[in-house]
Amino acid sequence: MTLSDQTTPVVPFHRLDPALLDQARVEMQSDGIPGLALGVYYDGHAATAGLGVTNLMHPQPVSGETLFQIASITKTFTATAVLQLVEKGRINLDDPVRAHLPEFAVVDPDVSASVTIRHCLTHCCGWEGDFYEDPGWGDDALAAIVGRMRKLVQVTPLGKIWSYNNAAFYVLGRILEVLHGRTFEAVLNDTLLTPLGIHGTCFFAHELVHRNFAVGHSEVRRQRVIARPCVMPRCGNPIGGLIASAEHLMLYARFQLEGASVLGDAMRLAAFEPAGPSNDVPEIGLGWWLDDTYGERVVSHGGGANGQPCFFAMVPSRRFAIAVLTNGEKGSTTAQRLLSWAMRTYFGLAVPALRSQRHAISDDWVGTYETCLERHVLRRKGEGLVYDQSTIKEWLEGLDPPPTPEIGRRVKAIGPDTMHIAPGERAQCVGTVLRDESGEARWLRIKRRAALRR
């Protein structure tokens, strides 16, 4: 089945396929999403649309121009700005961080001296990744948070295992500041956003007051409420601070898929190739997540601001990209299901069904695993295994409503050291037990973080 046999995702007059919008309405309803902006780029053409409302308390219609916190999708912009410096010969991916930030340190002195820019881009630097503090709103915010990283301990060995690492992108943002001699926000605007014609994005809440923008929502006792606080501290801008629209991301998709003068094609395309520890799914490019399970590579990144999950994915071989920006806490599920629907409908591509063979649950999976923010427990229940998750520390101070624990989620083994948590549910996710060099079960990777066994 080919695209020529089916409806195109972008129909004449730069409109989205009505069937895609209908599917988006179905997924929104299932996940309780108040508003959604959708963008599709295909074969040189782009279209956007909005569904629902920006804010349940003060509702305005969502459009393709509505601003959302795209959160960690920002990391791909940060990574691209780093690659610009690589292309110009000002840095090398294998430069030690200390070549550009001489005072840089974490707890482990060997890691402090040896960690490279590549380690940071590919999430394999190994220190505690979900490190959030607020050193203020001054121009020194990023320098200050990098200085505070000297208290971060190692969770995984340097360069051996990937584990999603927000703090690594503080480092990359600070390197950009030092080499350009400007704030991170100015660097991104001057070197990437403005040259690409991406006008009207912002980083600060005070820039939103006269704009059409979405706020996040959470669910409490089946009631949707506004998620507070709405923005991260300024130091978080390189890791997730960009506020943008579906229209903006279509301009970004055009650059990433077709090229532009801001970055040569060789460097741009190199970012879509595996660059970190491999033999795992997904693999990691230079700032991107790579998934080949559809039979063609999907290059993507998600974002998870408070109550505003967003997702941006590209299929370079098809010159296709999709952006799904939501303002409901279950928006990641909505986005993934829309990607799957689009891949199946427009390209005849689907993730292969799991084989029916049974896999055994290993006894040594049982245990408690922790990140600095969350506790994950795998425990026996009868002959099976269940999963509990609870919060140790909130990622943003004063979260309202606070995170809800997950208790007693069913676990199904789907391969050696791999499991589905909540199999068959919309919230289904993959957990992977990672072993150390001696073969001992040492980490549980879930939500792309490696939680250390306690």
Side-chain angles (χ1 to χ4, degrees):
M1 186 179 295
T2 65
L3 189 65
S4 61
D5 301 323
Q6 306 162 60
T7 303
T8 177
V10 180
V11 300
F13 309 109
H14 301 285
R15 293 184 298 113
L16 290 176
D17 175 16
L20 176 58
L21 290 174
D22 287 344
Q23 189 65 32
R25 292 184 182 96
V26 170
E27 305 298 350
M28 287 175 65
Q29 179 68 28
S30 296
D31 293 320
I33 308 299
L36 176 149
L38 187 62
V40 170
Y41 181 92
Y42 175 67
D43 198 24
H45 302 281
T48 64
L51 300 171
V53 297
T54 59
N55 182 330
L56 287 175
M57 293 182 66
H58 305 285
Q60 296 293 324
V62 173
S63 74
E65 296 181 339
T66 300
L67 293 172
F68 288 75
Q69 294 181 67
I70 66 169
S72 286
I73 299 172
T74 307
K75 289 184 175 71
T76 71
F77 289 80
T78 302
T80 301
V82 170
L83 295 182
Q84 289 177 311
L85 291 177
V86 174
E87 185 173 67
K88 293 175 180 177
R90 298 192 63 191
I91 62 175
N92 188 290
L93 287 175
D94 296 312
D95 284 349
V97 167
R98 279 187 173 172
H100 307 287
L101 304 179
E103 303 302 318
F104 175 76
V106 289
V107 166
D108 189 308
D110 293 332
V111 172
S112 302
S114 302
V115 65
T116 67
I117 291 170
R118 186 189 300 273
H119 289 138
C120 292
L121 276 173
T122 57
H123 298 271
C124 61
C125 40
W127 55 65
E128 291 178 334
D130 288 320
F131 171 58
Y132 306 102
E133 291 186 0
D134 184 358
W137 289 87
D139 288 352
D140 64 344
L142 199 46
I145 196 69
V146 171
R148 295 184 186 187
M149 287 177 61
R150 63 182 60 250
K151 61 188 174 185
L152 298 187
V153 300
Q154 288 300 113
V155 177
T156 60
L158 177 65
K160 301 296 185 182
I161 293 172
W162 66 256
S163 177
Y164 194 76
N165 200 296
N166 279 291
F169 278 73
Y170 293 138
V171 175
L172 297 173
R174 181 58 183 154
I175 288 173
L176 289 171
E177 287 191 333
V178 168
L179 291 183
H180 284 280
R182 285 169 282 169
T183 64
F184 171 79
E185 299 86 5
V187 171
L188 212 62
N189 275 304
D190 295 347
T191 66
L192 197 57
L193 298 173
T194 298
L196 291 176
I198 302 176
H199 303 297
T201 62
C202 55
F203 284 98
F204 302 108
H206 68 264
E207 298 175 296
L208 292 175
V209 292
H210 60 290
R211 311 282 294 279
N212 180 267
F213 65 95
V215 301
H217 297 79
S218 296
E219 193 171 294
V220 179
R221 293 184 291 276
R222 300 188 178 183
Q223 295 293 316
R224 288 173 292 179
V225 299
I226 303 298
R228 298 180 173 86
C230 65
V231 293
M232 292 186 292
R234 180 176 182 178
C235 66
N237 282 343
I239 75 173
L242 189 61
I243 302 168
S245 68
E247 293 277 358
H248 293 136
L249 288 180
M250 292 302 95
L251 293 170
Y252 188 53
R254 182 181 296 276
F255 152 59
Q256 290 289 356
L257 291 173
E258 312 289 355
S261 60
V262 296
L263 189 68
D265 287 347
M267 185 63 69
R268 173 179 61 85
L269 295 174
F272 301 164
E273 296 297 324
S278 58
N279 301 318
D280 212 339
V281 177
E283 291 196 278
I284 305 174
L286 296 173
W288 295 98
W289 297 97
L290 314 176
D291 186 353
D292 295 332
T293 55
Y294 284 96
E296 297 189 31
R297 177 159 294 164
V298 176
V299 178
S300 71
H301 212 292
N306 193 19
Q308 290 193 55
C310 298
F311 185 64
F312 178 76
M314 302 179 290
V315 187
S317 63
R318 302 284 183 157
R319 296 176 68 201
F320 172 81
I322 185 169
V324 184
L325 312 183
T326 83
N327 63 354
E329 66 178 352
K330 298 178 182 177
S332 293
T333 301
T334 296
Q336 290 291 339
R337 293 180 74 91
L338 285 175
L339 171 66
S340 295
W341 185 92
M343 295 291 282
R344 182 175 62 253
T345 302
Y346 300 126
F347 306 119
L349 299 172
V351 175
L354 292 171
R355 295 178 181 176
S356 59
Q357 70 183 86
R358 296 179 63 85
H359 294 276
I361 291 172
S362 176
D363 288 337
D364 68 353
W365 293 1
V366 174
T368 297
Y369 304 81
E370 292 182 358
T371 67
C372 54
L373 298 183
E374 293 184 332
R375 177 174 294 111
H376 307 273
V377 178
L378 292 173
R379 58 184 172 86
R380 283 288 185 183
K381 185 175 181 181
E383 296 183 359
L385 201 65
V386 295
Y387 164 80
D388 303 331
Q389 179 266 323
S390 58
T391 298
I392 296 172
K393 179 183 177 183
E394 295 173 347
W395 73 280
L396 280 179
E397 186 175 348
L399 280 181
D400 179 23
T404 303
E406 297 180 39
I407 305 297
R409 294 277 191 178
R410 190 166 67 90
V411 173
K412 177 183 179 182
I414 58 173
D417 287 337
T418 308
M419 68 199 78
H420 270 158
I421 295 171
E425 299 180 23
R426 287 183 71 88
Q428 172 182 293
C429 66
V430 174
T432 306
V433 172
L434 304 174
R435 298 180 181 274
D436 61 20
E437 292 180 349
S438 68
E440 180 182 355
R442 189 70 175 135
W443 302 272
L444 173 66
R445 185 160 59 212
I446 187 167
K447 302 175 185 176
R448 299 194 176 172
R449 276 89 167 162
L452 182 64
R453 189 170 195 153
R454 298 300 184 187

